[in-house]
Amino acid sequence: MPEPLDPYLLDILRCPVCIAPVPLKDDRRLVCVQCGRAYAIEDGIPNMKTEDATFEPGFGSEATP
């Protein structure tokens, strides 16, 4: 089980596309509250690269870029 992310880091991280908060979901990804992009946590490190992001169900690829 990977080490949990630092609460301070979770508080300051933002979506690189729309600058909205990205709360932790299921202890394995960060999901933007505005556009729905989901950023994976790989080996305990958030992968915030937009080209690697997926979309949360319900937001779809038509989300605001």
Side-chain angles (χ1 to χ4, degrees):
M1 185 78 152
E3 206 172 301
L5 292 176
D6 183 325
Y8 176 73
L9 178 64
L10 289 173
D11 191 45
I12 63 172
L13 278 175
R14 297 291 183 258
C15 176
V17 176
C18 59
I19 318 302
V22 286
L24 183 64
K25 186 167 186 178
D26 300 333
D27 291 329
R28 58 189 177 123
R29 65 188 189 277
L30 301 168
V31 179
C32 178
V33 298
Q34 184 171 322
C35 69
R37 283 179 175 82
Y39 301 96
I41 298 172
E42 302 167 354
D43 297 323
I45 301 168
N47 176 355
M48 303 299 289
K49 295 184 339 186
T50 56
E51 60 268 18
D52 293 340
T54 59
F55 283 94
E56 244 339 73
F59 281 93
S61 59
E62 69 277 357
T64 306

